[in-house]
């Protein structure tokens, strides 16, 4: 379970996430939604341990760093690095391989199996910069598969991805959920969220709703989120408590 306790996250003292409290239960499948600039990616980074809270905390109970897999937005991934598809997927096995060991049979098998599962068998030797956006996303999902993490964080995983690839990758998300992993995804497609994600956190820097998707994604809440984000002052001083 991951618990947020009065969590506030800031950049250069500007608040991006405000006094957020609640919990992601073990095995839950949650969408984080909200307008642009609502703090969704910032929250995901804090859960991944990549951004320190300016106040409050993220409690990860007994989870260790390797138990949390994080998929950033595609724009944040440098594809010019000379790396093959196979090596990229194999890198996901680092916690099994360790710092000094080489990849064993089981690791190589897991990487091949994952590439097959995402429909990229035969692409092993391709370099990352030779892939389309959709193929790259399949590679990143294959890497998540071999990580075998208890918690999987996905930041806009289906952005600019065609319907077929989205359906394939959504099926993987559903499989992870059935395997009792905790999956948290930042998404913008409300229909997708309603159809596939039982829990939703709606935020506009602060929490506007967190719970069963049908009770959170109401027209009133969505209007409130839009109004809240439009009204937000980018130059607001450090962390005044927002009024609910
Ligand atoms: N590295 C950074 N340095 C300074 N400010 C940042 C940084 N990253 C994000 N911000 C600011 O923090 C706020 C929240 O950004 P964040 O990326 O978390 O929003 P988001 O909800 O993920 O938005 P989107 O839907 O557009 O991806 C925004 O006002 C943004 O400008």
């Amino acid at each position: 379970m991951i618990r947020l306790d009065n969590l506030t996250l800031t950049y250069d003292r500007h608040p991006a996430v405000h006094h957020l409290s609640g919990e992601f239960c073990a095995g839950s499948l949650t969408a984080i939604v909200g307008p642009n600039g609502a703090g969704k990616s910032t929250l995901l980074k804090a859960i991944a341990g990549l951004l320190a809270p300016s106040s409050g905390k993220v409690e990860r109970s007994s989870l260790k760093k390797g138990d949390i897999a994080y998929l950033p937005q595609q724009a944040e991934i440098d594809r010019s690095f000379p790396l093959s598809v196979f090596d990229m997927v194999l890198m996901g096995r680092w916690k099994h391989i360790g710092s000094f060991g080489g990849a064993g049979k089981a690791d190589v098998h897991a990487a091949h199996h994952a590439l097959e599962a995402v429909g990229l068998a035969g692409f092993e030797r391709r370099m990352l910069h030779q892939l389309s956006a959709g193929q790259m996303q399949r590679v990143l999902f294959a890497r998540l598969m071999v990580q075998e993490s208890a918690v999987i964080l996905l930041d806009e995983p289906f952005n600019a991805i065609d319907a077929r690839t989205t359906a394939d990758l959504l099926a993987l998300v559903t499989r992870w959920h059935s395997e009792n992993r905790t999956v948290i995804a930042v998404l913008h497609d409300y229909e997708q969220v309603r159809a596939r994600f039982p829990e939703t956190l709606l935020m506009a820097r602060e929490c506007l709703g967190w719970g069963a998707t049908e009770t959170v994604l109401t027209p009133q809440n969505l209007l409130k989120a839009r109004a809240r984000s439009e009204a937000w002052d980018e130059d607001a001083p450090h962390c005044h408590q927002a009024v609910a």
Side-chain angles (χ1 to χ4, degrees), residues 11-12 16 34-43 73 156 188 205 234:
Y11 294 107
D12 305 322
N36 290 137
K40 306 177 296 294
S41 299
T42 301
L43 174 61
Q73 288 187 19
E156 299 195 26
H188 281 285
R205 306 210 178 198
E234 278 287 337

Side-chain angles (χ1 to χ4, degrees), residues 2 44 46-49 58 60 63-70 94-95 144 147 149-153:
I2 295 171
L44 224 53
I47 295 171
V58 180
R60 299 179 189 82
L63 292 167
K64 295 186 287 291
K65 202 155 187 229
D67 294 332
I68 301 182
Y70 167 61
W94 66 268
K95 97 179 157 189
L144 291 173
Q147 279 181 262
S149 299
V151 177
I152 299 169
L153 309 175

Side-chain angles (χ1 to χ4, degrees), residues 7-212:
L7 181 69
T8 293
L9 303 164
T10 59
Y11 294 107
D12 305 322
R13 297 183 59 80
H14 288 291
V17 171
H18 245 262
H19 299 290
L20 190 53
S21 292
E23 59 190 48
F24 300 94
C25 294
S28 56
L29 174 55
T30 309
I32 302 181
V33 301
N36 290 137
K40 306 177 296 294
S41 299
T42 301
L43 174 61
L44 224 53
K45 284 177 186 154
I47 295 171
L50 302 172
L51 192 66
S54 64
S55 67
K57 58 185 170 191
V58 180
E59 284 174 25
R60 299 179 189 82
S61 49
S62 57
L63 292 167
K64 295 186 287 291
K65 202 155 187 229
D67 294 332
I68 301 182
Y70 167 61
L71 177 71
Q73 288 187 19
Q74 275 226 11
E76 293 184 34
I77 296 169
D78 180 7
R79 287 221 261 148
S80 63
F81 195 75
L83 198 65
S84 72
V85 163
F86 190 74
D87 287 341
M88 180 69 170
V89 176
L90 201 57
M91 274 170 57
R93 295 289 289 181
W94 66 268
K95 97 179 157 189
H96 304 263
I97 295 170
S99 311
F100 302 108
K105 254 191 188 166
D107 303 309
V108 170
H109 176 77
H112 279 299
H113 176 72
L115 278 169
E116 246 172 60
V118 299
L120 285 184
F123 280 70
E124 290 81 357
R125 288 173 183 277
R126 283 260 201 125
M127 304 306 279
L128 295 184
H129 72 268
Q130 297 173 317
L131 300 175
S132 72
Q135 288 164 343
M136 181 65 189
Q137 205 66 344
R138 286 174 186 264
V139 169
L140 295 172
F141 267 70
R143 192 173 70 161
L144 291 173
M145 276 181 76
V146 303
Q147 279 181 262
E148 296 175 354
S149 299
V151 177
I152 299 169
L153 309 175
L154 306 169
D155 198 347
E156 299 195 26
F158 313 123
N159 204 10
I161 302 296
D162 70 19
R164 161 95 196 274
T165 301
T166 298
D168 288 350
L169 299 182
L170 262 173
L172 270 180
V173 169
T174 304
R175 184 168 128 194
W176 288 329
H177 181 45
S178 72
E179 291 168 351
N180 215 27
R181 300 179 205 274
T182 308
V183 183
I184 305 170
V186 171
L187 296 168
H188 281 285
D189 181 338
Y190 294 143
E191 289 321 307
Q192 198 175 67
V193 173
R194 286 193 179 97
R196 308 296 284 261
F197 287 75
E199 311 277 323
T200 295
L201 163 58
L202 172 64
M203 56 190 292
R205 306 210 178 198
E206 58 196 306
C207 177
L208 296 185
W210 192 348

